[in-house]
Amino acid sequence: MEYTGAIFDMDGVLFDTEKVYQQTWHEIAAELKVTLGDGFLADISGSSGVHMNQVIEAYFQVPDGAGIARECMDRVRKKLSVHVPMKEGVREILELFRQKGMPVAVASSSLSQQIEANLKNAGIDGFFSEIVSGTEVEHGKPAPDIFLRAAKRIGCKAEQCFVFEDSENGVKAGYAAGCATIMVPDLIEPSPQIRQYCARICASLVEAREEVCRMMGK
C-alpha cells in the first residue's frame, strides 16, 4: 500500500487534554447533582455533534445535551488557554511526515477555534495543512464523515491515509472511512472488539512512528 497522507485526532493523541475534558464533564455533573455512570468515558470520548448530544442526554438525564456540551467546551477552552500539555513523540512523528512530503491534517471533535489555539500554543501549527472540526460534518464520530472530509482536503484518498486515534469512537470512524487506523490509547484500554478495526495499536506516538516506517517499508 502506498500511503500519501496522515490525519490526527487532537485530544488524547496530540495533546494530553482528554483528562481536562473528563474533569470538566464531572464538574458540570456535580453541579447538576448527576452521577455519571461507568460507561460515560467510553461513550463520550471522540464523539461529536448529534451523537455527543445523545450521550449527554442519556447520562445527564436532560432533553437536550447541546447546552451542556457548549458549557463544557467553554470551560475547557479557558483551562487550555493557560497550558496545553503535548503528548510524547508528537514533533518526531510530524517531522517524519514532513520529511516524506506527506500532507497532514487534524480531524477533531473540538471546535475549530480550540484546535487552532492548541496547535499554535504548542508551536506545531506549521506541520498541518488542514484542520477539520466536528462542527463541519453532518455526522460525528463514530461516523466516517470527518476523516473522509480531511482526506479530501489534503488531496488524498482515504484508504491511503494514516489515521491516529485514541478513542473507540474515533477508531470506528477511521476504519469506516477506509483509513489505516492506528490506535494510541489514552484513558481507555482497547477492548477486544475494537482491535479488529485497528491497523496497529501503539503505546505512544514514539512507537507509532516506528510502525509507520515499517508499514511504508522505509
Side-chain angles (χ1 to χ4, degrees), residues 1-8 97 147 157-165 170-171 173-183 197-201 211-212 215-216:
M1 170 65 71
E2 179 185 3
Y3 297 102
T4 59
I7 307 169
F8 288 80
F97 291 125
F147 291 126
K157 295 179 180 179
E159 59 268 26
Q160 292 181 311
C161 287
F162 290 105
V163 158
F164 298 89
E165 267 287 355
V171 167
Y175 179 83
C179 302
T181 305
I182 296 178
M183 187 178 193
Y197 303 115
C198 302
R200 299 287 191 280
I201 298 177
E211 288 298 327
V212 164
M215 292 172 73
M216 291 193 295

Side-chain angles (χ1 to χ4, degrees), residues 33-104:
K33 295 180 170 54
V34 173
T35 300
L36 299 177
D38 293 338
F40 178 76
L41 174 59
D43 289 345
I44 199 72
S45 294
S47 66
S48 64
V50 174
H51 181 72
M52 174 186 280
N53 289 345
Q54 290 173 341
V55 173
I56 294 170
E57 289 157 13
Y59 283 91
F60 282 82
Q61 302 169 36
V62 294
D64 184 2
I68 291 176
R70 283 194 299 272
E71 178 64 21
C72 180
M73 299 304 167
D74 287 344
R75 294 189 189 191
V76 168
R77 184 164 55 250
K78 291 176 182 177
K79 294 175 182 179
L80 295 182
S81 66
V82 178
H83 175 61
V84 183
M86 194 158 62
K87 286 279 195 171
E88 180 187 15
V90 170
R91 287 186 180 277
E92 290 80 1
I93 196 168
L94 292 176
E95 189 60 47
L96 171 68
F97 291 125
R98 172 180 279 178
Q99 291 171 358
K100 294 186 177 299
M102 296 169 63
V104 181

Side-chain angles (χ1 to χ4, degrees), residues 101-115:
M102 296 169 63
V104 181
V106 172
S108 168
S109 302
S110 295
L111 299 175
S112 58
Q113 302 96 311
Q114 186 66 62
I115 300 170

